Amino acid sequence: NKDIKGRNILVTGAGGSIGSEVCKEILRVSPKRLVLLELNELALYKVELALKNLSNLQIVPSLGSVGDSNLVKYLLHEHEINTVFHAAAYKHVPLVESNQVQGVKNNIFGSLNVLKASMKSNIDNFVLVSTDKAVRPTSLMGATKRFTEIMIQGLSEKTKIGEHDFKFYGTKIESSKTLFSIVRFGNVLNSSGSVVPLFKEQIRNGGPVTVTDPNVIRFFMSISEAVELVIQAGAMSKGGDIFILDMGEPITILELAKKMIHFAGYQLAEKNDVKDAIEIIYTGLRPGEKLYEELFIDPIQEETPHPKIFRTSQEFLKLDDINNYLEEMYSAITKNQSDDLYDILKRAIPEYRPNL
């Protein structure tokens, strides 16, 4: 209620798995207006249709990218936005690893646009939907999400100490009341690009089911539960908080594959093959992937009023250093120098260890 009821809300990446579910949960809390920003035309069409079937509240579909700073500024100003849920990102690890420049442009500089516009518009709350892949990242996607977290932490430090008239990558921020929060969680079941839809299709086609490594483990949560917790965590923000969700116990992807084969009514192909049995084959870890994910570095976690939401902390950069790294990244992007982007992010995020 605090962030949503009777208020104007913007969701970026509104047509994605997480973004669309965020929109559905928001409508249940009766906002005044819900603005959807989505780059993919079909995804925007689908989410708008689904939401209008759920509610008669005012829904505004906006086709465009977070990379379009003028559009972002217009939406925030025109619709008098109070709260932003920033879910827009390229998140598929191998694809971002092979499209480094676009990954950094969208995930870091797109987020930069939304952050700057939010502060200039003096919105109340900004919630970043982050990922466990931002913790000790081995992928470029994880590194871009961690750098976005660092930008938020650096901005929050300025606003917490009441500092005014500071520069954020060339934009003068005179004052801002915006409360920033970061919510990290692991994999959500059945999200686009995840293993569950892939395994379903492979089983439907008679196999084989492809698992990268028998020892890969991941946290899993349903989309609806993850999103409910994201919204509740955002409302707890004191400014610059990193919230992590209790994802339960991690499971091996191999075990998930075996269960899905069994639940689909098939047997697992082993030495004594039976007819129509499904085989599991191992394909090896892809660039940027790691065997297990973490949600935090600092072992000390602070409890919140919600039993499944915790606060954690992590060191970050001063805003002047953030601005300098952004300048370097922008230069590398304009020259299409992906190797330089790896180098810059490794210096900005000491725990980043690219797995190429």
Side-chain angles (χ1 to χ4, degrees):
N1 285 345
K2 172 177 166 283
D3 287 349
I4 295 169
K5 190 168 185 177
R7 300 165 80 76
N8 297 324
I9 316 297
L10 169 66
V11 178
T12 72
S17 304
I18 300 298
S20 58
E21 190 68 31
V22 167
C23 292
K24 290 174 188 174
E25 290 295 330
I26 285 170
L27 287 181
R28 293 191 176 105
V29 195
S30 301
K32 180 180 178 182
R33 179 183 299 153
L34 175 58
V35 180
L36 321 173
L37 178 57
E38 173 57 51
L39 178 61
N40 184 288
E41 183 185 25
L42 179 59
L44 182 61
Y45 166 76
K46 285 183 174 179
V47 71
E48 183 196 13
L49 191 64
L51 296 175
K52 285 189 171 177
N53 284 333
L54 287 177
S55 172
N56 293 321
L57 293 167
Q58 188 178 2
I59 297 167
V60 181
S62 178
L63 186 61
S65 167
V66 291
D68 185 340
S69 59
N70 288 327
L71 174 61
V72 173
K73 284 187 278 190
Y74 168 79
L75 292 175
L76 289 168
H77 180 264
E78 177 70 13
H79 299 292
E80 300 177 329
I81 297 298
N82 304 111
T83 300
V84 171
F85 289 92
H86 181 43
Y90 292 150
K91 67 173 187 175
H92 195 270
V93 168
L95 280 179
V96 174
E97 211 65 56
S98 56
N99 293 274
Q100 306 95 332
V101 169
Q102 292 304 318
V104 171
K105 276 179 73 174
N106 188 70
N107 292 6
I108 292 179
F109 284 87
S111 299
L112 173 72
N113 287 336
V114 186
L115 285 168
K116 287 199 297 187
S118 296
M119 296 192 81
K120 292 292 281 185
S121 295
N122 223 15
I123 70 163
D124 297 320
N125 291 85
F126 182 105
V127 182
L128 171 70
V129 177
S130 193
T131 170
D132 55 1
K133 293 173 177 63
V135 182
R136 281 189 264 261
T138 58
S139 65
L140 187 71
M141 191 281 280
T144 62
K145 295 296 274 189
R146 176 60 195 140
F147 193 86
T148 302
E149 291 183 354
I150 288 170
M151 289 195 291
I152 287 174
Q153 290 176 286
L155 289 171
S156 294
E157 182 188 45
K158 290 286 189 184
T159 54
K160 271 183 177 177
I161 61 177
E163 188 171 335
H164 303 298
D165 298 332
F166 58 87
K167 287 279 185 75
F168 179 35
Y169 193 61
T171 297
K172 187 177 181 182
I173 308 294
E174 293 176 354
S175 66
S176 182
K177 64 177 182 179
T178 305
L179 278 178
F180 295 100
S181 55
I182 297 156
V183 188
R184 285 180 188 158
F185 54 94
N187 297 274
V188 290
L189 289 165
N190 226 24
S191 65
S192 60
S194 72
V195 294
V196 171
L198 174 64
F199 287 173
K200 279 183 180 176
E201 183 180 358
Q202 290 175 336
I203 292 167
R204 196 161 47 240
N205 294 334
V209 171
T210 56
V211 173
T212 54
D213 187 287
N215 298 311
V216 167
I217 63 172
R218 292 290 184 267
F219 292 99
F220 281 96
M221 181 179 272
S222 73
I223 295 179
S224 58
E225 184 179 13
V227 164
E228 284 177 23
L229 295 176
V230 165
I231 290 172
Q232 292 187 54
M236 296 176 188
S237 179
K238 298 173 183 175
D241 303 275
I242 299 177
F243 294 104
I244 56 174
L245 307 185
D246 180 357
M247 300 287 294
E249 293 299 318
I251 63 170
T252 68
I253 298 298
L254 176 60
E255 189 61 30
L256 177 65
K258 287 179 178 178
K259 284 181 187 294
M260 287 185 66
I261 290 168
H262 172 71
F263 292 147
Y266 294 95
Q267 292 190 46
L268 186 64
E270 294 175 312
K271 289 181 181 177
N272 300 318
D273 282 6
V274 295
K275 188 181 179 183
D276 297 329
I278 303 285
E279 182 186 10
I280 293 176
I281 60 172
Y282 301 110
T283 57
L285 287 176
R286 297 171 296 180
E289 289 186 321
K290 51 184 175 179
L291 286 174
Y292 63 94
E293 302 287 359
E294 308 160 273
L295 285 163
F296 55 89
I297 287 180
D298 188 341
I300 299 172
Q301 301 166 55
E302 178 190 339
E303 291 185 351
T304 71
H306 196 292
K308 285 201 166 189
I309 302 172
F310 298 87
R311 277 188 182 89
T312 188
S313 59
Q314 194 167 338
E315 290 184 5
F316 58 94
L317 300 168
K318 299 291 184 186
L319 198 57
D320 287 345
D321 294 325
I322 292 169
N323 287 334
N324 291 335
Y325 282 122
L326 286 167
E327 289 284 0
E328 289 187 53
M329 277 188 259
Y330 184 76
S331 176
I333 286 170
T334 57
K335 297 170 186 171
N336 212 41
Q337 293 175 326
S338 54
D339 288 346
D340 287 358
L341 289 173
Y342 283 111
D343 175 63
I344 296 161
L345 284 166
K346 280 193 287 186
R347 286 187 283 114
I349 309 166
E351 66 273 18
Y352 174 36
R353 297 284 185 273
N355 172 20
L356 302 175

